Structures are given as C-alpha cells and as structure tokens.
Amino acid sequence: MVVLYGIGMIIRFILKVALLPVQAALTLLLFALCYVGGLVTYASELLGTFLIFCGICTFWMKGPATMGWQGIIAGILFAIIPQALTLWGAEGVLCLKDLLGRV
C-alpha cells in the first residue's frame, strides 16, 4: 500500500510539473480576454448609449414608435451582450484553471 501511495505521489508531481505551462497559458489567455473584452465592452457601451439616445429622440421628435423601441432594445443588447460574453469567458477560464489546479 505504501508503494502505491509513493507511485501516486510521483505521478501527481509529474502531472503538476507538466500542467504548469498549461496554467501559464491559461493565465495569459485570461489577461488577454479581460483586456480585449474591456475594450470591446467600452466601444459597445458607447454604441449602445448612442442607440438608446436616438431611440429616445425618435419618441421626442414624434417619429414612428416602433423605430424608437427598436433603437432602445438594440442599444440595450449592444451594451449587454459583449459584457456578458467577457464575464462568462473569464469565469470559464478561471474554472478550468481551478480544475487543473486540483490535480
């Protein structure tokens, strides 16, 4: 039994050393995802704000109501979807890193 425990410890150590570059690559991927996601989120928030403003202006200028609602809904979607994808992607990478860290 002690021999099997020793072999298991050796195999676990080898796996930890082998997975170290994978952990480093996932960390770099996480940093890149957060950076690019932040830029895309900022740009999409500006576009979404512009679309919401245009939708509200359409109501104010007595334009077609459907066009105003479409502008507001499109603006909300443009602001929310990139941020949600960034958060979900970062959480996915963190969960994968946690799973590999438990090995």
Side-chain angles (χ1 to χ4, degrees):
M1 202 63 160
V2 175
V3 173
L4 288 176
Y5 179 75
I7 292 172
M9 290 297 291
I10 292 170
I11 290 174
R12 187 172 181 196
F13 177 74
I14 291 171
L15 274 174
K16 279 191 174 262
V17 171
L19 289 176
L20 189 62
V22 175
Q23 288 275 8
L26 285 174
T27 302
L28 291 175
L29 176 68
L30 181 65
F31 289 154
L33 181 68
C34 288
Y35 177 71
V36 172
L39 292 176
V40 171
T41 300
Y42 181 71
S44 67
E45 284 176 355
L46 288 176
L47 180 63
T49 304
F50 178 72
L51 287 172
I52 290 173
F53 181 72
C54 289
I56 292 171
C57 286
T58 303
F59 288 132
W60 181 60
M61 298 162 90
K62 306 288 190 236
T66 57
M67 191 171 183
W69 285 113
Q70 287 174 356
I72 290 173
I73 291 171
I76 291 170
L77 290 177
F78 268 106
I80 290 175
I81 291 175
Q83 187 174 10
L85 291 176
T86 301
L87 289 174
W88 292 338
E91 283 297 319
V93 172
L94 284 174
C95 287
L96 186 59
K97 280 179 56 83
D98 184 45
L99 180 70
L100 291 176
R102 291 184 184 185
V103 171

